[in-house]
Amino acid sequence: MKLVHLVVLIMAPLTVCALESNDPKVEATRRISMELGKTLKGRLLQAVEQQGVTGAVEICAVVAPGIAEELSKRNGALVRRVSLRTRNPANQPDEWERNKLEAAAAALGQTNSVRMTESYASLPNEQCENEVRYLRYIYMEPLCLTCHGSVLSPEMEEIIKRRYPGDRAIGYAVDELRGAISVRYPAAQ
């Protein structure tokens, strides 16, 4: 009997609360993710213009995590990039992120499918306090193929092998799902 009650107590916090697209908490996470995306894209384009395509690797490796950390501190959120095929092991998705990424990737393979742009939910965190979870999906653009495509320059291959020995983030095509910007935002804020 005690075991049954324990299971009920453990399962109770796993309730997902519905959120609307215009919910202020969803709008806050969307704004944060858009700021990271816009800032990162601007820095990537600037690096490519000034240093060539190899400069983009440094932006994704060093600058992007710094931008995400600054946005996290400024907004009281956890902001990061995640992917099913990671280059940086720190970008492994958690279970919720993985499920959503897999659903978005599967949707791309369906005839007449519409590309998913975002997913969000109010879920309990490790302390059983609800927080807003948000993903803004990242799809491959032509410039992305320079570092993530099937054919890389020898120089790019060497840079990536040196920086990311376990890289799994190559072989992509334009419009394929690359990953997502993830924002975990306390629901109480």
Side-chain angles (χ1 to χ4, degrees):
M1 187 70 166
K2 289 182 181 180
L3 180 59
V4 173
H5 291 295
L6 180 60
V7 172
V8 170
L9 289 174
I10 291 172
M11 296 303 289
L14 297 179
T15 305
V16 176
C17 300
L19 291 171
E20 297 296 324
S21 177
N22 63 350
D23 184 292
K25 295 167 190 159
V26 173
E27 289 180 350
T29 57
R30 184 180 293 124
R31 178 190 51 75
I32 294 166
S33 73
M34 290 175 76
E35 186 174 349
L36 174 57
K38 181 180 177 182
T39 304
L40 181 55
K41 190 172 186 174
R43 297 272 181 93
L44 283 168
L45 291 172
Q46 183 181 28
V48 169
E49 186 178 293
Q50 293 175 353
Q51 304 164 352
V53 292
T54 58
V57 175
E58 189 71 15
I59 297 299
C60 284
V62 178
V63 176
I67 296 168
E69 184 177 338
E70 191 273 324
L71 284 169
S72 295
K73 288 178 183 174
R74 183 168 15 118
N75 292 285
L78 173 61
V79 182
R80 65 193 200 112
R81 295 173 300 152
V82 295
S83 179
L84 295 172
R85 291 167 39 195
T86 58
R87 175 157 285 166
N88 181 340
N91 295 342
Q92 289 288 335
D94 64 24
E95 183 180 4
W96 183 80
E97 293 163 336
R98 177 175 300 286
N99 290 338
K100 294 300 181 183
L101 286 165
E102 288 172 349
L108 276 178
Q110 297 175 0
T111 306
N112 298 324
S113 68
V114 175
R115 194 162 92 166
M116 294 174 64
T117 57
E118 61 184 13
S119 291
Y120 48 85
S122 178
L123 300 170
N125 62 19
E126 293 80 9
Q127 292 77 35
C128 296
E129 300 167 337
N130 275 2
E131 64 184 4
V132 174
R133 301 293 309 271
Y134 179 89
L135 290 179
R136 179 174 195 77
Y137 298 107
I138 302 168
Y139 293 92
M140 293 292 295
E141 296 180 12
L143 180 61
C144 305
L145 297 178
T146 306
C147 300
H148 296 285
S150 296
V151 179
L152 306 180
S153 72
E155 183 182 17
M156 184 61 71
E157 278 187 28
E158 178 58 34
I159 290 170
I160 291 171
K161 282 181 186 177
R162 189 173 353 103
R163 187 176 279 281
Y164 301 107
D167 179 43
R168 296 177 30 227
I170 56 171
Y172 285 97
V174 171
D175 292 329
E176 193 172 354
L177 180 68
R178 169 66 187 97
I181 296 171
S182 174
V183 181
R184 294 175 73 162
Y185 196 68
Q189 290 190 351

